[in-house]
Amino acid sequence: MTSTDSAQQPAKAPAKDPWDLPDVSGLVVGVLGGTGPQGKGLAYRLARAGQKVIIGSRATERAQAAADELGHGIEGFDNAETARRSDIVIVAVPWEGHGKTLESLREELSGKLVVDCVNPLGFDKQGAYALKPEEGSAAQQAAALLPDSRVTAAFHHLSAVLLEDPEIERIDTDVMVLGEDRSDVEIVQALAGRISGMRGIFAGRLRNAHQVESLVANLISVNRRYKAHAGLRITDV
């Protein structure tokens, strides 16, 4: 190649800044399992940050009661209506009902960005331990059951106690976000960043979700030993 040829080559576009995240403030967030501690806590924090939030439950009355308790403009509907009305749907249901719930909502969740934050755990006299779903992880099970949805995984390592406490202004922790599509992952990262003190960090594809979900068993052990509400920080990022 001559120097002339080299000069004619188009310049490479600069690498995208990984912290250049989209504006998600106008998106409606639905929380399936929004009457449980983790779901209520996430709904509260996001609504407190100015996000439009809908809580879902199997019963509309239960969802509306939780929404009224939390305030900040949160609404409550049954799970199907919550899925229909939302742009992003966070799945915070108990692991035992994870598969059946998502299977029943396949049509309503079609085309939606789904954020799975379910941790498959068992408990015995020695404490919490990780379960290994047939698909590999809860997030991979969600992707298998929702072929027409855009499935990501995030919000696994957050303390429901801290999320629900109105006296706490900031929750200093990182949120590991996994997914197959960069633009979807960045939306979830940006959503995590709406909560004061949090950062959303890309942590790989869905095939890496099992160890992220499993780490909650370790955090439960930490919390019990130190009487804490431990979270994670990713260093040097």
Side-chain angles (χ1 to χ4, degrees):
M1 180 183 291
T2 68
S3 58
T4 303
D5 293 332
S6 178
Q8 292 174 345
Q9 294 297 313
K12 280 188 176 181
K16 184 179 184 296
D17 181 352
W19 297 112
D20 181 15
L21 300 173
D23 178 9
V24 297
S25 59
L27 299 180
V28 178
V29 178
V31 184
L32 305 183
T35 58
Q38 187 183 26
K40 278 178 72 176
L42 279 169
Y44 171 69
R45 286 290 158 178
L46 289 168
R48 181 169 160 170
Q51 207 75 34
K52 174 59 183 172
V53 177
I54 302 172
I55 279 179
S57 180
R58 284 177 294 179
T60 300
E61 297 79 12
R62 194 167 169 221
Q64 189 58 58
D68 291 343
E69 176 190 340
L70 294 174
H72 294 280
I74 298 173
E75 295 182 289
F77 298 97
D78 65 31
N79 283 330
E81 187 64 18
T82 297
R84 278 192 288 267
R85 288 174 178 248
S86 303
D87 302 304
I88 305 173
V89 179
I90 297 174
V91 181
V93 300
W95 166 241
E96 294 74 17
H98 182 263
K100 281 188 176 180
T101 299
L102 295 185
E103 196 170 20
S104 71
L105 296 172
R106 182 176 295 169
E107 182 178 341
E108 290 84 358
L109 291 171
S110 177
K112 305 286 184 176
L113 175 52
V114 174
V115 187
D116 200 294
C117 66
V118 175
N119 304 302
L121 297 177
F123 295 86
D124 60 18
K125 290 181 179 179
Q126 298 181 56
Y129 60 94
L131 303 175
K132 186 77 178 275
E134 182 180 343
E135 298 84 355
S137 65
Q140 287 169 296
Q141 183 183 88
L145 291 172
L146 303 172
D148 298 321
S149 303
R150 297 138 52 207
V151 176
T152 61
F155 301 115
H156 301 90
H157 306 135
L158 306 180
S159 163
V161 173
L162 298 184
L163 289 172
E164 290 190 270
D165 188 342
E167 298 300 316
I168 294 175
E169 295 292 330
R170 289 173 55 88
I171 300 178
D172 291 312
T173 191
D174 288 331
V175 173
M176 300 175 76
V177 185
L178 303 96
E180 301 302 319
D181 183 87
R182 176 182 285 189
S183 60
D184 289 338
V185 168
E186 289 180 347
I187 289 171
V188 181
Q189 286 180 259
L191 187 66
R194 296 272 288 158
I195 300 174
S196 180
M198 288 191 194
R199 297 186 306 172
I201 305 285
F202 170 67
R205 293 178 177 270
L206 288 186
R207 68 181 184 181
N208 293 320
H210 171 65
Q211 57 264 37
V212 173
E213 297 168 1
S214 301
L215 188 57
V216 174
N218 302 90
L219 290 176
I220 290 172
S221 297
V222 170
N223 290 338
R224 286 181 174 174
R225 174 62 64 88
Y226 298 100
K227 298 186 180 354
H229 304 294
L232 294 180
R233 271 296 191 205
I234 309 299
T235 61
D236 198 33
V237 174

